Every structure is written in structure tokens, then in C-alpha cells.
Amino acid sequence: MTATKLLPAGTVTILCAGDAAPVVFATPDEALAALPGGPAAVHTGDVLIRDDGTPTGAAVRRCEHLRALAEDGRILVSARTAAALGDAVTLHDLGVHRLPDLTAPERIFELGESPGPLRSLDAVPNNLPVQLTGFVGRDTEVAQVRRLLAGTRLVTLAGPGGSGKTRLAAQVAASTEWPDGVWWVELDAVTDVAEQVAATLGVPVEPRIGAARSVATELRDRRVLLCLDNCEHVLDGAAEVAVELLRTCPEAAVLTTSREPLDVPGETVWRVPPLAVEEAVALFVERAGAVRPLFTLDTSSAAAVRSICTRLDGIPLAVELAAAWLGTLAPHQIDAGLDDRFALLTRGPRGVPARQRTLEGSIAWSHDQLDGEDRAVFRRLAVFAGGFTLDAAGGPAVLPALGRLVDKSLVLAEDGRYRLLETLREYAAARLAEAGETDAVRDRHLDHYLALAEAAEPELDRDKDAWRARVEPERDNLRAALEWGLAQEDPDRGRRLAAAVAWLWNLHGRGHEGLAYLRRAVARRPDDRTPLQARLLTGMGLVADTTAPFDVEAAQRGLDLATELGEAGLRARCLSLTALGHLYTDLDTAWDVAVEAEKVAEDAGDGFARDSALMLRGIVRFARDRHAEAAPLLDEAAEGLLRRGDRGLASTVLSVRSGIALAAADLPRARELAGQAVDVAAPLGDFHRVNTTLCRLALVHCAAGEADAGFRVMEPFLRLLETAGDVFVPGMAGVLGELHWRRGEFEAALRWFEREAVPGTYMAAQGLAERGALLRALGRPDEAVEVLATAVELTRRWSLPSPLAGVLDQQGYLAEPEQAAELHHEALSLRLDHGLRLGVLASLDALTTLFARTGREGDAARVLVSASQARAELGVPRRPSAQAEVDALGLATSEPPMPLDDVVAFVRRARGTRGRPSSGWGSLTPTELEVVKLAAEGCTNPEIGTRLFMSRGTVKTHLAHVYAKLGIANRTELATLAAARLS
């Protein structure tokens, strides 16, 4: 329909009923009175009237979108109409909903019966951007692209910059149905597409397989639409993501916008056409209303506006740029200004589409209308990657010019920040080069972001969340500044910037990128022996914490240099990082270095290094089940780490505290701490930190008998593991082994526990008891005996009481009754000595079985019923396979259950005769023989206790028993007898 005029009708109420055309009324009451029945929608707003009396404009479109939600005869009313109606009618508040036009959410009401759920855009997970202006026209194009997406899985909307690809893609995404979500990824200022996609979807990136495969693994069986906007400058990265999704995600589709196709198999390229003239005119009029509220298309302006839109070939950006000038120029002046410019551009470069030349002409014309000051500001904005702040652009001095650029649609203002569309940024960059200012402006860009980074550094020691909020939005600008600074003949500014933002790379799994920058910075001055070099090496150690946890080279080099320079704070941090590197391979060294780090940090007043050292000491104590000593160290560390927003380390501390609570069978506290750890780590988006905390939470679910919940927690990780293969996350394999065990999947559990043992680390002793138990359950006792023998040696070597107790129990299940009793009671003693209340329950089950094996069914029944009650009270049920084993014993008793402490005392009293001599060497138990051996080697009582996980009092008791059995009085006599006996 051709409209010669578009005249304002004022504020009216629009009724969209059934399939009829929209009708306007003077008041909401009149509109409701004209209702023919549902479905219908009523909205109030300002409209324009065409020549034939048809209403049009943004308010009419809004009412039509509202009508689209009115299913099953419902009558929906907008908030503005509801306010005008007042109490005249009864309306049900349906809450705030987004409509498919993607503009601001609308509170919606319903007239009539009690309402049900409303199928608005919010019914589907999405992050589609809120549009500040309405989407005009393109109904045919939206329908065509929707049909393409229904038949193919990769559609690229191709066309020149400014042709409306982004808005069209967003409208298509909002009008299609993808039950598992629609995700929008803006690539305007992005260098790594897969990384940006992963960050947008909240997918942790596994560094070894990269972001693209991590995302594909997450989306493998989901019906989602992924929209990649502005791919032209990252075609390879966009193609990588698209191909990976097409290859591995059969129900996912990709919609991209780009100036040129991705050129990959399976791609359908849809060339975005220009707007039809009438649509372009409607767009011009609607955008013109923002700068000249009383502007309408009347007899005097219609011809000029149609001429403008025709000459601009209906390119939306060009139309909007032209309309923005209505604040200062009349339509005929805009038309005249474009005339000469278009004549010039007809002789542009060959091979470039006419629409692109037209767009270039519209941008150039808009640029030519700027005064000298505005042009200078515009071209200098080209150095910004992504958005920028007013301060970065030049502060109050450039605010007037920046405001004028925003008014002319040459700069976008978004939530206190600004940005240039990529097309405009490239145009500005060309003008910057023509002016010979590129180097100078990039230098100023580097200086600004160096100053910002160094000014923000003190916040690292006070509030890392505040630091992240200040620095994270500038990531792309910091990258650009680093690239420029490190490439200069004098790289010191780039090196200073690399040192100042080292923490940035611990966010969102970007450690490898950060290490690359830091290595480049160090390599630019390889022989430098200044504090800056020490800071860079320290930064490398910090980033390696989650990227390469066994690599301590940078931390050691930083430590040597910091020591040489007398930089106590850096020395403390490097000591902590070095201790961290030793944590998995040498617990004693890790402890000693952490103690030194804490002292140096105290002297230097470095809270982070001190809390890091406290944390490491707590972890060492936790690893050796000295929980009473670990807890205060971890609590003190957590206080400082949480206060400063050190989320990575704080989440680790909370996770370890959850482990302590779980070992004590305090399930509510363990669950609470594990949940806190997940919440603290989540904003970092870091694969290592997030998944370590998820493993702890899943383990709590295991202990509670909630295997399905545990698998749900681990599901994102499991998807990634299927693609990544062997990935190191401490405790991960053990958790998955336990989950499969809880489901009765013994072979799968065994495979996971085999992966738990990491050679060369204390984790080599992890999972061995469980492997022995599973081998026993699978009818492979010989293999179980071999595994458990290795486990005893490793758990004793690393001084790991809880794993040792588990191994001893499993050996007991395979031993003859007399030996089994010794093994089970030693395991029980270890668990009691270390407060391992959850393990004590396992000991009671082992002793129940032993009592039943030796004909003491009455005692076995009393222990079983008491242990079962304790498990019920604590909320820690047996594994289903273990429950089946004790059920198979067929035990029953009329005796009431005993409290946990009482039943433990009962089994220790009921130990009974051991079937060995009462005196002489043959009367000594295996534990007493271990004590004798160590005493003969000259170990003191505390040293024996450390080696055998006993208190000093327990060592003294064992020695007293030995003296009595051997008829001697002291260590001297014991040493003489032992030398003869053990030689």
C-alpha cells in the first residue's frame, strides 16, 4: 500500500480482534464495548493514520504482538490501557512479559476468567537483546527466513553493513520456537568466537579441547537456536563453531549475520534485500519522530522523504542516519545533500555491491556534515575495541561532540557506555589513518588503559569483585592496548599493563591467553632484573594456578628475583604459589613452604599471600585427616578471602570445609558449604574452580543417597568429558566412580576409580580402597588383594589415614576371621582417632559382617540395627550394594538400637579372644608389631603417632601392651629384643 500521507491521530486505544484489521477508538471503554469476543488485545498509544484511514505505527504493532499471545479466546489488555480503565472492569494481572517485537517488557492484564500461563517470549530461555526502537516492516523476509530455518540448520543472513541483518535476525529468533533456548552472541568486538559463545551460554571451557567443542558438548541433545551476529571479521571462528554444532548437535540450529558467507558445508546463504520503499518511508518517519516529535509525512515532505529512501536503496542504517539529521535539516535539504554525494559514488571501486557504495555514501555524507571537532572525535573513537566510557573517550571535554555523534546515530549509547557499529568504526579508522593520527591515538589509548589498570590495582587487595566490575568490561580494549604496547620498540608500557591485569585471565577460562601475554611481556626484556619482571613472573604463577597447576617454574623464577630485590610482598606470593605447586606432589614440602610464606606475608602485610598460605596449610592438614587442626586455618583463610572477593581460593576453602563436615557425617553443614562454594565460584566461569566445587556438591549428594541429583550436578561436566577425554580436576574421577557405584554400575565405577589415582601425587593413593571393594564385588579377589597391598604401602607413605582405613577394611573382608578382626579394629581406631564419623559407620558394617562370619549373630544384629539407626538420623544411607549385603545376612534382634558412641564402645569391648598366645612375640598384633618396628628404628612416640596416625596416648598404650606381653620394662630392653628378633 502506498501512503502519500501519514498524519497523527493522537493518543487512542487500538483493538486487534481475531483476524480483523486493527481499529482505533477514542477511549478504552469504547474499545471494550466493541469487543466481538476473543481472542483480542487492547492497547493505548499514539498512532499515525494512512490515506485510507488505516492506523499504523509502533503502538499498532505492539497491539498486534499482544494479540498474538491471546490464545483460546483470551482478551489481553496492556498496562497503559489498564491504567486508563481504572476500576471500571475487573482485570487479572498476568505479570511482566516480553513480546516478540523485542522492545521493553510489558505488564499484561486479562479480561475475563481466572488466567492461566501466558506463552510470551519469556516462556523460552533466551538472552535476546531488548530493542530500544521498534522493528518496522520485513514481514515477508521474517517469514522466508523462518521457513529456511525449519528446513536447514545453518542460515547466514548476508549483506552489506547497515542492511538490517542484525534486527532481522533478532526478529526471526523471537518469532521461532526453540524449546531449549535462543541465545544471542554479539561478535562486534570479539576476537575469539567460541570463547564468547561459551561465556554467553555459561559453558565452562575445558582448556585442552577448547571452547567450540565445549559448547557443542553442552548443546549436543538440545533444541536451541544460536545466533551469531556480525561474523565478518571473525569468519574462521564463526565457521568453527557452526561446523562443530552441525557435526555434533543434531537438534541445534545456527543463524548468523555477516557481510560475507561463512563458506562452510551445509550453509544456506540468504541475501538480505533492501527495504521496500514504503517500509523505508515508514522507518524514516518513525525514527524521525525521535528527533522531531511533531514530524509527519504530509504533502510538503512526502516527496522528499520518498526520494531519500529511494536513493538510499532502502538500506536501514542509511535511512536511520538520514532521519537523524531532521533535528537540524528539513527533508528537502537532506535530499539535496545526498544528491551530489551519490553522483560521486557511482564511480566507486569495481566489484563492490551498489548497496555498499550507497551505504558508504550515506556514512560519508553524514561524516561530511560534522564540524571539525566532531570529525576529530569520531575518527579517534576508531581505536576502541568494543565499548568505551566517556572518560576513555576524553572526558567532559568531548561530551558535547559525543552527544552530537549519538544524536546523528554515529555512536550508540548503552548503559553508560558507548560504542561504534563495526561499519562505522572501520570508516572512522580509515579517516584516522588519512589524518596520520593512528599511532598517536593508539598511544593515548594505551596510556588510558594502563592508567586505568594501575589505578584499579589496589582494589585487588580490598575487593576483587569491585576490581572485576571495573576491569572486566574493558577486556577487549585491554587486549588491543596490550597488543600495541608489547609491539612497540620500548615495550615497558605494555609490560606494565600485562603485570597490572594478570588477574583478569583467571576469569572465564582464559588462562592460556593470559599466559601468552605474560610470556610475551617477560620475553621482551628476558634479562630484566627489576620489580616489574618479578611482578610479571608472579602473574604467570597466578594464572598457571588453574591453567597448569603442576607448573611452578614461573613462581620459582619470580621467587628468586623477588628475594634478590628484597620485594617481600612478591616473595610471599611466589612462596604461596610454589607451595601450591608442591601440594599434590610433596605434602611436607608444601607445608614447610606455606609456613614460610605465611611468615613473610605477615611481615609484608600482604593479606592475600597470608590467606593463601593459611589455606594451603589447611588443605595439607585436611589431606592427612587432621581436621581439628585444619578447620581453624581454613576458617581464618576464608574470612579474608571472602572479604576481598578472592572467589577462586575462597571456593576451594569452602569446598574443603564441606569435606571436613562430610567426614564428620554432618550432612546439612556439608551441603550448605558445598552450595556456598558453587555460588562463590560460579561468577568466575572458570573450568577448574567451578567443576571442583560441583564435584564436592555431587559427593554430598552421594553421601545422602541422591545419585540422580549427583549426576545432574555433574551433567555439564560429563558432557565435556565425553569430548575432552582425560581432564584433571581433583576428586572428579572419585566422585563419578561413587555415583556409578551408587547405581550398581560396578564396571563403570571401577574405571573411574582407576582414573582417580594420579601417579607421582598423593592422589596415587586415592580410590584404591574403592577399587578393592569393587573387584571383590565383581568376583576378582586376587586382583583386589594386589590392589590393596599397593594401597597400604602408598597410604602409609603419604600419611593418609582415611584412605588407609578404607584399605584395611577391604583387606579385612578378604582375610581369615582372626586377621580380619585386627584389620577392622585398626581401621576403626584410625577413624575414631581422626574424627572420621562417616568412616566409623563403614567400620560398623565391616564388624557386623565379621560377627556374622564368626557365629556371633546376636552381636552382629545389635551392631547392625544401631548403625542403621545412626545412618537414618544422620541422613547417610548405605550404598544399595552394601545394603543388599547386610540384608543378605538375615539378622534380627529385639534389642533396642544403641546410640552411635555406645555401639562403638560395644564393638570394642566385644572384640573377644584373638586365638593367639597371651605372651611372647606371637601375641603381638599387626599394629603392635608396626609400633615395635618404628620404636626399634629410634622413632619417638610423636613420630610413631605421625607415621601410624595415632595420638601419643595411643602409642603409649600400645607400648605398654608390648612391654607386658614380652616381659620387659622399657625401650632399651625392647630395642635389644627387637634387634635380635627383626634382624
Side-chain angles (χ1 to χ4, degrees):
M1 178 189 302
T2 299
T4 303
K5 298 178 182 179
L6 285 174
L7 300 177
T11 301
V12 296
T13 296
I14 308 115
L15 170 63
C16 293
D19 297 326
V23 181
V24 297
F25 297 88
T27 68
D29 292 327
E30 293 178 12
L32 292 180
L35 273 172
V42 184
H43 176 54
T44 301
D46 298 330
V47 303
L48 297 172
I49 300 295
R50 298 177 184 272
D51 291 351
D52 63 351
T54 304
T56 188
V60 174
R61 291 197 307 275
R62 190 73 165 170
C63 191
E64 290 171 336
H65 284 297
L66 189 58
R67 156 65 187 83
L69 302 182
E71 300 175 323
D72 301 324
R74 304 174 77 170
I75 300 170
L76 303 182
V77 178
S78 72
R80 188 170 179 182
T81 302
L85 286 168
D87 297 328
V89 295
T90 300
L91 298 174
H92 298 281
D93 187 347
L94 302 182
V96 175
H97 296 266
R98 289 191 72 187
L99 303 185
D101 63 359
L102 295 178
T103 55
E106 171 91 13
R107 182 169 292 279
I108 300 174
F109 297 82
E110 181 171 358
L111 176 69
E113 299 297 327
S114 180
L118 194 64
R119 293 185 64 239
S120 66
L121 189 58
D122 301 295
V124 175
N126 74 87
N127 70 331
L128 290 172
V130 173
Q131 303 292 349
L132 302 181
T133 56
F135 183 76
V136 179
R138 300 282 204 194
D139 292 340
T140 301
E141 290 89 337
V142 169
Q144 289 175 348
V145 178
R146 287 185 62 184
R147 284 194 294 271
L148 284 176
L149 271 178
T152 185
R153 295 174 49 224
L154 172 59
V155 176
T156 293
L157 305 186
S163 59
K165 303 182 295 294
T166 295
R167 290 301 297 270
L168 177 58
Q171 199 61 40
V172 169
S175 61
T176 53
E177 293 186 3
W178 298 89
D180 294 326
V182 178
W183 303 105
W184 185 270
V185 184
E186 172 58 60
L187 304 178
D188 229 358
V190 169
T191 56
D192 190 323
V193 176
E195 180 181 277
Q196 184 70 13
V197 173
T200 301
L201 272 65
V203 176
V205 175
E206 202 293 303
R208 290 173 28 150
I209 67 169
R213 294 183 69 194
S214 298
V215 170
T217 302
E218 175 71 15
L219 301 182
R220 185 183 57 210
D221 56 1
R222 299 188 184 183
R223 293 185 60 194
V224 300
L225 176 64
L226 179 66
C227 305
L228 303 180
D229 186 39
N230 290 318
C231 298
E232 53 272 359
H233 65 297
V234 283
L235 286 172
D236 289 343
E240 176 194 15
V241 171
V243 168
E244 189 67 25
L245 292 184
L246 291 179
R247 186 175 63 84
T248 61
C249 304
E251 295 191 284
V254 182
L255 178 63
T256 74
T257 72
S258 179
R259 295 184 199 176
E260 58 183 293
L262 304 187
D263 196 22
V264 299
E267 178 185 29
T268 297
V269 179
W270 195 81
R271 299 285 178 181
V272 177
L275 289 168
V277 174
E278 292 307 314
E279 289 181 334
V281 169
L283 176 63
F284 186 97
V285 172
E286 190 157 313
R287 298 298 187 262
V291 293
R292 188 187 287 184
L294 298 180
F295 178 79
T296 55
L297 196 65
D298 56 19
T299 304
S300 64
S301 61
V305 170
R306 289 181 65 83
S307 176
I308 291 168
C309 292
T310 300
R311 294 185 177 189
L312 291 177
D313 277 349
I315 295 176
L317 176 59
V319 172
E320 293 188 351
L321 289 170
W325 282 100
L326 278 173
T328 53
L329 299 174
H332 72 275
Q333 291 175 304
I334 298 173
D335 191 31
L338 287 174
D339 213 359
D340 290 340
R341 178 61 59 189
F342 280 4
L344 176 65
L345 288 176
T346 58
R347 296 187 295 272
R350 299 182 187 278
V352 177
R355 289 189 302 274
Q356 188 168 338
R357 293 199 302 269
T358 301
L359 176 60
E360 180 78 8
S362 68
I363 297 173
W365 180 80
S366 291
H367 176 264
D368 290 347
Q369 303 307 305
L370 302 173
D371 62 24
E373 178 187 358
D374 290 0
R375 289 185 194 179
V377 171
F378 175 63
R379 66 176 176 260
R380 291 165 189 167
L381 297 179
V383 298
F384 292 105
F388 55 90
T389 63
L390 173 62
D391 185 49
V398 303
L399 181 56
L402 193 59
R404 290 190 291 271
L405 293 172
V406 171
D407 290 341
K408 303 299 183 289
S409 298
L410 292 170
V411 174
L412 299 180
E414 301 173 327
D415 297 326
R417 292 177 65 83
Y418 303 87
R419 71 179 177 94
L420 274 68
L421 293 175
E422 185 62 21
T423 301
L424 296 173
R425 193 190 71 79
E426 290 180 6
Y427 183 89
R431 306 290 80 75
L432 189 67
E434 287 176 359
E437 296 177 347
T438 299
D439 288 1
V441 175
R442 291 203 68 177
D443 274 341
R444 287 200 292 274
H445 179 271
L446 170 59
D447 287 339
H448 173 80
Y449 285 102
L450 174 59
L452 180 148
E454 291 185 336
E457 272 193 288
E459 289 181 335
L460 284 168
D461 294 324
R462 296 192 300 264
D463 186 348
K464 274 196 176 65
D465 283 336
W467 181 87
R468 280 188 285 268
R470 186 173 178 182
V471 175
E472 172 73 9
E474 307 297 349
R475 183 188 297 275
D476 290 325
N477 280 308
L478 291 167
R479 283 175 170 137
L482 281 167
E483 292 288 350
W484 180 257
L486 293 176
Q488 300 308 298
E489 182 177 351
D490 179 359
D492 279 356
R493 287 181 299 163
R495 281 162 43 84
R496 285 166 54 198
L497 181 58
V501 299
W503 275 102
L504 183 64
W505 313 111
N506 270 328
L507 306 179
H508 304 296
R510 293 187 173 98
H512 291 293
E513 179 185 4
L515 281 176
Y517 280 124
L518 289 160
R519 285 175 180 139
R520 284 173 58 190
V522 169
R524 286 305 312 271
R525 293 275 193 265
D527 300 322
D528 185 34
R529 305 297 291 176
T530 65
L532 175 56
Q533 191 82 331
R535 291 176 61 214
L536 288 167
L537 290 167
T538 304
M540 288 176 65
L542 286 167
V543 178
D545 172 18
T546 56
T547 305
F550 299 126
D551 185 358
V552 297
E553 179 187 359
Q556 187 60 56
R557 289 172 60 193
L559 175 60
D560 293 342
L561 184 53
T563 302
E564 173 188 320
L565 296 171
E567 293 282 342
L570 291 177
R571 183 165 181 266
R573 295 191 175 204
C574 287
L575 281 167
S576 287
L577 291 167
T578 303
L580 180 64
H582 289 302
L583 182 62
Y584 295 107
T585 57
D586 188 340
L587 290 171
D588 292 329
T589 299
W591 173 269
D592 292 341
V593 176
V595 169
E596 183 181 1
E598 183 183 353
K599 182 179 183 305
V600 174
E602 288 276 12
D603 294 342
D606 191 318
F608 169 74
R610 173 182 173 275
D611 292 334
S612 300
L614 283 168
M615 177 197 73
L616 290 167
R617 290 176 60 204
I619 292 175
V620 172
R621 287 291 186 252
F622 170 71
R624 287 180 165 159
D625 292 308
R626 296 167 67 171
H627 296 170
E629 299 171 43
L633 294 170
L634 295 168
D635 286 344
E636 188 174 354
E639 181 183 354
L641 293 169
L642 289 169
R643 183 178 65 249
R644 282 190 304 276
D646 279 304
R647 292 181 173 273
L649 298 188
S651 66
T652 299
V653 170
L654 291 168
S655 184
V656 175
R657 289 292 285 120
S658 174
I660 291 175
L662 187 58
D666 186 349
L667 200 62
R669 181 62 173 156
R671 194 187 299 273
E672 176 188 3
L673 288 164
Q676 288 179 11
V678 171
D679 291 342
V680 168
L684 299 178
D686 175 74
F687 176 86
H688 180 95
R689 300 290 191 199
V690 172
N691 285 296
T692 297
T693 58
L694 289 176
C695 284
R696 178 65 64 187
L697 181 59
L699 194 60
V700 174
H701 283 303
C702 281
E706 303 162 354
D708 290 344
F711 271 111
R712 284 195 296 272
V713 167
M714 297 297 289
E715 183 180 359
F717 197 24
L718 284 167
R719 291 173 177 271
L720 201 55
L721 286 171
E722 290 178 11
T723 305
D726 189 19
V727 177
F728 176 72
V729 171
M732 170 270 296
V735 172
L736 290 170
E738 181 65 32
L739 284 168
H740 283 286
W741 197 352
R742 292 267 171 179
R743 281 188 173 176
E745 299 162 355
F746 289 3
E747 292 285 1
L750 183 60
R751 288 193 296 271
W752 279 112
F753 281 118
E754 287 170 350
R755 293 177 59 174
E756 176 78 346
V758 181
T761 74
Y762 79 86
M763 296 184 70
Q766 302 290 328
L768 296 179
E770 291 80 2
R771 286 170 62 187
L774 287 163
L775 288 168
R776 179 171 61 84
L778 289 166
R780 295 152 63 181
D782 292 342
E783 294 177 61
V785 168
E786 184 178 348
V787 167
L788 294 170
T790 300
V792 169
E793 191 274 327
L794 287 173
T795 52
R796 290 196 186 279
R797 181 198 304 171
W798 286 93
S799 300
L800 305 174
S802 183
L804 175 58
V807 171
L808 294 174
D809 258 350
Q810 293 307 316
Q811 285 185 319
Y813 281 112
L814 294 167
E816 292 301 319
E818 179 59 30
Q819 182 67 15
E822 297 295 342
L823 292 165
H824 289 322
H825 279 283
E826 183 178 353
L828 176 60
S829 295
L830 280 171
R831 288 160 169 160
L832 290 170
D833 287 347
H834 291 84
L836 306 175
R837 202 168 177 82
L838 192 63
V840 167
L841 294 170
S843 283
L844 292 177
D845 287 347
L847 289 164
T848 295
T849 302
L850 177 64
F851 287 153
R853 286 172 63 194
T854 55
R856 299 168 63 182
E857 287 83 358
D859 289 344
R862 293 197 66 189
V863 175
L864 177 59
V865 71
S866 301
S868 297
Q869 175 175 277
R871 285 183 175 278
E873 291 173 348
L874 294 170
V876 286
R878 298 177 181 87
R879 298 183 187 98
S881 58
Q883 186 63 51
E885 287 183 18
V886 296
D887 289 345
L889 297 175
L891 299 171
T893 180
S894 60
E895 296 285 341
M898 294 177 279
L900 183 57
D901 290 341
D902 290 351
V903 73
V904 168
F906 171 77
V907 298
R908 302 190 91 179
R909 288 195 307 270
R911 187 169 182 180
T913 178
R914 299 169 180 78
R916 60 162 56 94
S918 60
S919 63
W921 286 101
S923 68
L924 299 184
T925 68
T927 302
E928 289 168 349
L929 285 170
E930 289 285 345
V931 171
V932 169
K933 180 181 177 182
L934 293 173
E937 292 174 359
C939 292
T940 64
N941 285 6
E943 289 170 338
I944 295 173
T946 298
R947 295 280 292 275
L948 299 180
F949 321 118
M950 301 174 182
S951 66
R952 296 183 187 183
T954 301
V955 175
K956 288 178 65 177
T957 299
H958 280 301
L959 285 171
H961 291 164
V962 169
Y963 296 160
K965 291 177 181 180
L966 297 182
I968 57 178
N970 53 48
R971 271 179 175 262
T972 303
E973 294 181 54
L974 177 60
T976 302
L977 285 175
R981 177 76 180 187
L982 301 177
S983 60

